[in-house]
Amino acid sequence: MPCIVEILSVGNELLLGNTVNTNASWIAARVTSLGAAVSRITTVPDNLKEISHAIRESLRRKPDFLITTGGIGPTFDDMTLKAVARALKVPLRVDRIALAMVREHYARRFPNRRISLTQPRLKMARIPARAKPVRNPVGTAPAVRVTVKETQVFCLPGVPKEAKAIFRESASKAILAKTGGMIFAEKWLRVQGIMESSLAPIIDQIMAKWPKVYIKSHPRGVEAGGRPHIDLHFSTRAQNSEGAERAVLGASRDLARQIRNVGARISLKA
Amino acid sequence: MPCIVEILSVGNELLLGNTVNTNASWIAARVTSLGAAVSRITTVPDNLKEISHAIRESLRRKPDFLITTGGIGPTFDDMTLKAVARALKVPLRVDRIALAMVREHYARRFPNRRISLTQPRLKMARIPARAKPVRNPVGTAPAVRVTVKETQVFCLPGVPKEAKAIFRESASKAILAKTGGMIFAEKWLRVQGIMESSLAPIIDQIMAKWPKVYIKSHPRGVEAGGRPHIDLHFSTRAQNSEGAERAVLGASRDLARQIRNVGARISLKA
């Protein structure tokens, strides 16, 4: 049973199609490399009810981690923390440590100016009771961490540089502690001269032989103006790297052999 | 009340972080430009239970449209249609028209070869009872359309070129018919020399004056190695383009005036 992670992305810009959700794919790739598995990514607008519903739905599925991005800044539409408080039925309150973090950020950024703690600035230190602020090494708003039954919730900012820095410094360590060194291994194989529908029964056969290896076919090429081909992705998780590598390599070699037998070409070596 | 659209993206590659979900942002941008609003984007793995749960959850929220991408090809892990059938409690069955579409595709692509209808090829014509196949102008697997109470469900392939072509040819027309010519208008403003926390109360004030205009601030610049600035996005929906344009223009001019008053700079004209 792998360590399960859900991602909740908050932001109208993602739903307007203005912004591609690269935060989610970056976090998903990091989570995967840490040996855990992302089970769902949900994107909701800057709307209190929608965010708190999505948080409650996620907690009901009991993932090991729920990582949110976006909605923790100073503007009125940054309402992720309010939504967390609502979902957890706890009040929001100004946190002493979070406030010190916000103050310190402004003092560092404007050493010669007195920056008054206006409401929008105070807002960044107002976090759900029970939650802990998490240092933001590159921006103003602290991130937030709170444990709800079996789920550790991390609320990160939406600005990619800040989300990444905080993920690296805090969430990644918590995930690694939970996976206990589970290893993810993957391999790509490129195939030409066979249709996906002809490849399907071959994949079934190899997956029956290597039940822990997941094989997914991605038809490509025509799209990008190139020659049609299929990229095959082999992946597995195991307790040690030799076991994981052996499985993906074995499965990809077996599949490559079968493919050559039916006269198709392999252009990335198994 | 705008026309509400949900997007459901199916595919392990999106959760492994291998693939950025550009299908979702492309569809979201198209939906927005058609005058409708995307309320949620959900990404789930190639797992029957997860997909059918997500479909049921979405239908319970009663969006006008649910657009799925991915999982309708010939391989075993393409299980979106099975999941739709399960969510709707109807059987899957080979559809006569879908089968003709699959046959025609192979006949067109391989005019001199007899392509036998193997199980994986037949699979692409097996769709939920009650559903209608939708022509795929560029690929093999037909898309699928089914109406469930107030929701029109469109299941598109995951290959971007196919998803886009089918969206343009079918889903976009259905959405336009529903929005009845609702117009989306937007405008960007770039601001320098002011912190987001200082901008927050100004945005509140302008949104109070222009209640139909949504203003979102995006702190940028430092990230990309450039000078720090904030991009402001103004958007609205209205029954006619003059009304929509007037609102975003009015709000952005009012905001620009206030910003100049506090000594900050505007680098994209209001």
Side-chain angles (χ1 to χ4, degrees):
Chain A
M1 189 64 186
C3 168
I4 297 294
V5 180
E6 286 205 15
I7 299 171
L8 176 64
S9 308
V10 178
N12 287 3
E13 67 279 15
L14 301 164
L15 298 167
L16 289 171
N18 284 328
T19 305
V20 177
N21 196 351
T22 53
N23 272 347
S25 54
W26 186 88
I27 293 172
R30 296 305 307 140
V31 165
T32 303
S33 78
L34 292 167
V38 176
S39 60
R40 189 184 280 234
I41 301 169
T42 308
T43 305
V44 292
D46 298 298
N47 175 298
L48 189 59
K49 203 174 125 186
E50 299 282 349
I51 307 168
S52 66
H53 275 191
I55 290 169
R56 247 182 257 141
E57 288 161 18
S58 172
L59 292 175
R60 237 177 270 139
R61 290 185 292 264
K62 303 181 201 294
D64 296 289
F65 292 89
L66 166 60
I67 297 172
T68 77
T69 60
I72 67 169
T75 58
F76 84 97
D77 60 352
D78 287 313
M79 45 185 106
T80 300
L81 298 182
K82 198 171 178 180
V84 169
R86 185 181 276 210
L88 269 55
K89 294 182 178 144
V90 297
L92 276 176
R93 51 151 179 64
V94 173
D95 182 271
R96 201 170 40 85
I97 299 168
L99 189 61
M101 287 173 172
V102 172
R103 272 187 207 277
E104 195 216 323
H105 174 83
Y106 284 117
R108 212 176 341 126
R109 196 161 150 209
F110 305 98
N112 305 318
R113 252 214 276 171
R114 206 188 151 272
I115 300 289
S116 59
L117 275 182
T118 55
Q119 277 302 319
R121 287 173 195 144
L122 210 56
K123 178 179 177 299
M124 292 185 274
R126 196 174 283 127
I127 70 174
R130 285 179 52 192
K132 295 265 173 284
V134 173
R135 200 175 84 97
N136 180 342
V138 290
T140 318
V144 158
R145 177 180 188 165
V146 60
T147 301
V148 188
K149 291 183 187 163
E150 46 279 277
T151 306
Q152 295 184 48
V153 183
F154 280 88
C155 301
L156 311 181
V159 177
K161 196 183 178 182
E162 299 183 25
K164 289 175 185 179
I166 301 170
F167 182 89
R168 283 199 187 97
E169 197 172 277
S170 59
S172 70
K173 281 167 197 163
I175 294 171
L176 204 57
K178 186 94 185 178
T179 58
M182 196 79 162
I183 294 292
F184 176 80
E186 62 184 334
K187 198 174 166 41
W188 289 93
L189 210 63
R190 175 161 296 178
V191 183
Q192 276 175 310
I194 186 167
M195 281 183 283
E196 202 190 14
S197 49
S198 305
L199 197 56
I202 300 177
I203 293 176
D204 285 352
Q205 203 182 317
I206 303 297
M207 279 186 69
K209 183 174 169 193
W210 298 90
K212 290 197 171 164
V213 179
Y214 194 89
I215 308 173
K216 177 138 190 183
S217 62
H218 301 274
R220 312 229 206 238
V222 190
E223 187 95 10
R227 294 160 62 98
H229 62 267
I230 296 170
D231 283 338
L232 291 172
H233 185 250
F234 298 75
S235 64
T236 194
R237 282 183 180 80
Q239 280 300 344
N240 60 70
S241 58
E242 298 93 72
E245 293 294 340
R246 202 185 313 122
V248 290
L249 205 64
S252 67
R253 281 187 178 151
D254 281 357
L255 199 141
R257 195 176 308 122
Q258 295 250 28
I259 283 175
R260 286 200 195 90
N261 285 347
V262 299
R265 287 178 309 286
I266 309 283
S267 56
L268 277 177
K269 263 202 299 218
Chain B
M1 189 62 185
C3 168
I4 297 295
V5 180
E6 286 205 18
I7 299 172
L8 176 64
S9 307
V10 178
N12 287 3
E13 68 279 16
L14 301 165
L15 298 168
L16 289 172
N18 284 329
T19 306
V20 177
N21 197 351
T22 53
N23 271 347
S25 54
W26 186 89
I27 292 171
R30 297 303 309 139
V31 164
T32 302
S33 77
L34 292 167
V38 176
S39 61
R40 191 184 279 233
I41 301 170
T42 308
T43 305
V44 292
D46 299 298
N47 175 297
L48 188 59
K49 203 174 124 185
E50 300 281 349
I51 308 168
S52 66
H53 274 192
I55 291 168
R56 245 181 259 144
E57 289 162 16
S58 171
L59 293 175
R60 236 177 271 139
R61 289 184 293 262
K62 303 181 198 295
D64 297 289
F65 292 90
L66 167 60
I67 298 173
T68 76
T69 60
I72 67 169
T75 58
F76 84 98
D77 59 352
D78 287 311
M79 44 185 108
T80 300
L81 298 182
K82 199 169 177 182
V84 169
R86 185 181 275 210
L88 270 55
K89 294 182 179 146
V90 298
L92 277 175
R93 52 149 179 65
V94 173
D95 181 90
R96 202 172 39 84
I97 299 168
L99 190 61
M101 287 174 175
V102 172
R103 272 187 208 279
E104 196 216 324
H105 173 84
Y106 284 117
R108 212 174 344 124
R109 194 161 152 210
F110 306 98
N112 304 317
R113 252 214 273 173
R114 205 187 151 272
I115 300 289
S116 60
L117 274 182
T118 54
Q119 276 304 318
R121 285 170 197 146
L122 209 57
K123 178 181 176 299
M124 291 185 275
R126 196 173 285 126
I127 70 175
R130 287 178 51 192
K132 296 264 172 284
V134 173
R135 199 175 85 95
N136 180 343
V138 290
T140 317
V144 158
R145 178 180 188 164
V146 59
T147 300
V148 188
K149 292 185 186 162
E150 46 279 278
T151 305
Q152 295 184 48
V153 182
F154 280 89
C155 301
L156 311 182
V159 178
K161 196 183 178 180
E162 299 182 26
K164 289 176 185 178
I166 302 169
F167 183 90
R168 283 201 186 94
E169 196 172 278
S170 59
S172 71
K173 281 166 197 161
I175 293 171
L176 205 57
K178 186 94 188 177
T179 59
M182 195 80 161
I183 294 291
F184 175 81
E186 61 183 335
K187 194 168 169 47
W188 289 93
L189 208 64
R190 175 161 295 179
V191 183
Q192 276 176 310
I194 187 168
M195 281 184 282
E196 201 188 14
S197 49
S198 305
L199 197 55
I202 301 178
I203 294 177
D204 285 352
Q205 203 182 317
I206 303 298
M207 281 186 67
K209 183 174 170 191
W210 298 90
K212 290 196 170 163
V213 179
Y214 194 89
I215 308 174
K216 178 141 187 179
S217 63
H218 301 275
R220 309 225 209 244
V222 190
E223 190 97 7
R227 291 160 63 100
H229 61 267
I230 297 169
D231 284 338
L232 291 173
H233 185 251
F234 298 75
S235 64
T236 195
R237 285 184 178 78
Q239 280 300 345
N240 60 70
S241 58
E242 298 93 70
E245 294 293 342
R246 202 185 314 122
V248 290
L249 206 63
S252 67
R253 281 186 179 154
D254 280 357
L255 199 141
R257 194 175 308 122
Q258 296 250 29
I259 283 175
R260 285 198 196 93
N261 284 347
V262 300
R265 290 179 306 285
I266 309 284
S267 58
L268 278 176
K269 261 202 301 215

